[in-house]
């Protein structure tokens, strides 16, 4: 049957938890830090003890000096002063936003950064408006006379012109001299 709290109900685990709790309570009652300093432990921080199966009493032993539990009436248990690292807990809810702190001091000026890449060429601008006409400039100097050009080729004959209008009858000529007889 599953435990609704998700805990294991193993007697051995509960017994060890009870023993560890009892040792902690006895240590505090016996002088706190003095009690911890007197508990022998292995180089890794492990502490050994013998748990009485009949009375539930705990006796701390020095495993480095080969002290042992009575295998018939006692159960060997070991624990660390720190304990094993537990699983990571679930992420808690986001807390309320705290008050804004005072303005900090102005920091030192940072080093000059490296020169950046050249930017892309911009778009051509619109043509400007036509400006007003300027004043007339002075007449320039007369240029030198150019050389005589080569004679041009003869032109083609022109087309025959149209027939002219009939002229007026001319005046009568003078009488001619009489001819010689012969």
């Amino acid at each position: 049957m599953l435990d609704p709290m998700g805990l294991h109900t193993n007697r051995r685990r509960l017994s060890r938890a009870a023993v560890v709790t009892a040792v902690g309570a006895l240590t505090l009652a016996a002088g706190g830090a003095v009690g911890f300093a007197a508990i022998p432990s292995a180089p890794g921080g492990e502490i050994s003890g013998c748990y009485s199966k009949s009375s539930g009493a705990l006796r701390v032993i020095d495993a480095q000096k080969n002290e042992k539990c009575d295998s018939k009436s006692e159960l060997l248990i070991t624990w660390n002063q720190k304990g094993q690292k537990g699983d990571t807990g679930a992420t808690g809810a986001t807390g309320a936003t705290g008050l804004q702190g005072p303005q900090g001091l102005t920091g030192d000026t940072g080093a000059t950064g490296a020169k950046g890449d050249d930017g892309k060429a911009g778009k051509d601008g619109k043509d400007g408006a036509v400006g007003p006409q300027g004043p007339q400039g002075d007449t320039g100097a007369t240029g030198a006379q150019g050389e005589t050009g080569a004679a041009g080729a003869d032109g083609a004959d022109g087309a025959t012109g149209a027939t002219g209008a009939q002229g007026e009858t001319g005046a009568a000529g003078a009488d001619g001299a009489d001819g010689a007889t012969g």
Side-chain angles (χ1 to χ4, degrees), residues 91-118:
T91 301
T94 303
T97 302
L99 299 175
Q100 182 170 344
Q103 168 116 14
L105 300 174
T106 302
D108 296 334
T109 302
T112 302
K115 182 180 184 292
D117 296 334
D118 290 338

Side-chain angles (χ1 to χ4, degrees), residues 39-41 46-50 59-64 66-69 74 76-77:
I39 295 174
S41 64
E46 190 174 85
I47 301 170
S48 298
C50 298
R59 142 178 100 85
V60 178
I61 62 169
D62 191 346
Q64 290 180 334
N66 267 348
E67 292 181 9
K68 301 193 184 270
C69 298
E74 294 179 320
L76 174 66
I77 60 172

